[in-house]
Each structure stands twice: as structure tokens, then as C-alpha cells.
Amino acid sequence: MLRPIIEIDEEKCNGCGQCVLDCAEGALAIVDGKARLIGDMYCDGLGACLNCPQGALTLNTREAAPFDEAAALAARARREASGAASGGCPGSAARALRPLMPHGGERSHAAAQEGALAAQLPAWPVKLALVPPAAPFLRGARLLLTADCASLALPDLHAHWLTGHIPLLACPKLEDHAALRERLGAIIREAAPAGITILRMSVPCCGALGRLAEQAMAACGGNVPLATHTVRLP
């Protein structure tokens, strides 16, 4: 039958997974780093997944199998039960957690003693490349843009840096600069954060983190206060 169905531009798709989260029917999955339509009959053609930060998804009217809601939901339930979570990482769903306690390290140690390691984070995920720009916990928040190494280097990270901030981890040495700049620009544009604190290491490659933030700000026309702090090696 002729009906609207989702179409994915692979050149634009960066595999962020926002469309997977938005699709209640589970018609989409991240496969080999790109969004894929699992099957025509799983797509209802209503376009709930069109809120793509990259503009990679559109509706196209073409010949397709009729939408089968029962089959779609059953297939999604099977994937979630097996841990596949719609073909993507089951832990990548964006979610607000809880405010950090002032002495999170002690609390985590106590939890470990009881056999339960409780995450001390205000939101999830924490990798910049995985955080959907439209995540509600980003709106008006103070962001901590930290290099992966810097976050590991500071034993007082939770007590003195994460409290009151939403963490975004990135590595300017190993990750694609264009992708990081684009994701950060989308966050600034959509979430209008109250401020961005940049935490970098003293090594030269880490200086790119601040430059990427400045470039993203200029590209999206944002006016968010930036503050940079450098963790120095002994």
C-alpha cells in the first residue's frame, strides 16, 4: 500500500540515537553507528522520530507494508527483554537522575560496603557524543564540559565540580572535532545553558576542548558564559 514511512539520510545521521528514543513502536535501531528502519510494518508513519538534531529523518510516501502495531510492540518487547533495547545501547537513554550529595565519595563507599554501587550523577548519559541536545535536564543548566582524562585526574570531582552541574565528557584527542562542535552547538542552541565550565588537562591536545566550545558558540550565535580550568600534571 502507498503510505508515509520514515526515510533516513545516512550521510547526515551520526548515530546519536535520539530517534530510537522518540519512536514508541521501536521501529528504529542503531546499527553500525547509523539509524536503521527495522521493518516497514513497524513504522506508523506519524513522524514522532523527526526531532533529529541532524535533520537526517524525513517522511517519504512510498509502497510499504501496512503498519502492524501489535507486531511492532511485540518485537520491541523481545529486543528489550534480550537487552538489545531497540538495537542500540540499552544504557544510552537520556534521563535525569538526582542532585549530587556534598560528599558523594563517602556515600558511594558506604553503598559499596552494602553490596550496591549507586551512581552519583545528576543525569545520564555523560558522554557529549551521546547526550541528546533536547534532553530536558540540559535546559538552563550549568554544564561541566570535561576532558575524559581530567575527570579521572581529580579525586574531588564530585564534591567540588559536579555539584550543581551537568557533566559532558569528551576527548578532543580521540573524537571527531566536527561532530563534537556540532553536538555542543546544538545543545547551546536548544538548551540555552546558564554557563559552561571547561575542565581540561595541561597537555596540548586538550586545549582543543576550549576552542571547540568557542567555535560552537560562534556558529550557533549563542552567548553563554565560558570558564576554563586546567588540571596540571605533576
Side-chain angles (χ1 to χ4, degrees):
M1 63 180 293
L2 194 66
R3 70 181 185 90
I5 200 160
I6 204 68
E7 186 172 296
I8 303 164
D9 186 332
E10 292 192 11
E11 293 297 319
K12 293 181 179 180
C13 176
N14 66 359
C16 74
Q18 181 64 47
C19 59
V20 177
L21 299 176
D22 290 341
C23 181
E25 291 72 33
L28 299 169
I30 302 300
V31 180
D32 296 330
K34 298 288 184 179
R36 311 284 185 187
L37 178 62
I38 298 173
D40 288 357
M41 68 177 180
Y42 298 152
C43 177
D44 60 9
L46 297 179
C49 58
L50 294 179
N51 186 33
C52 171
Q54 312 304 320
L57 276 68
T58 56
L59 282 176
N60 179 36
T61 299
R62 63 171 174 83
E63 286 291 335
F67 171 56
D68 188 331
E69 183 177 16
L73 296 181
R76 177 172 181 165
R78 286 195 298 271
R79 291 194 301 275
E80 291 178 345
S82 66
S86 301
C89 170
S92 64
R95 50 187 167 169
L97 298 180
R98 58 187 174 188
L100 293 174
M101 301 298 290
H103 301 289
E106 295 177 5
R107 182 174 175 181
S108 295
H109 178 71
Q113 294 295 97
E114 297 169 4
L117 296 175
Q120 299 295 308
L121 289 169
W124 184 265
V126 295
K127 285 292 289 183
L128 174 60
L130 297 176
V131 176
F137 56 75
L138 293 174
R139 294 173 191 159
R142 300 191 64 82
L143 307 179
L144 178 66
L145 177 61
T146 174
D148 293 342
C149 299
S151 63
L152 185 63
L154 293 178
D156 61 350
L157 179 77
H158 282 70
H160 297 290
W161 293 92
L162 281 188
T163 301
H165 290 79
I166 297 294
L168 300 174
L169 274 67
C171 178
K173 173 74 171 180
L174 301 177
E175 297 181 63
D176 180 71
H177 283 197
L180 293 177
R181 184 168 49 244
E182 188 173 356
R183 177 59 58 91
L184 189 56
I187 289 174
I188 294 171
R189 184 173 57 253
E190 297 189 32
I196 300 176
T197 298
I198 299 168
L199 194 59
R200 53 156 292 195
M201 294 298 293
S202 58
V203 294
C205 60
C206 217
L209 197 60
R211 293 193 294 273
L212 287 171
E214 293 172 355
Q215 293 165 4
M217 187 87 69
C220 71
N223 187 26
V224 179
L226 293 176
T228 300
H229 301 269
T230 301
V231 181
R232 303 199 177 276
L233 293 171

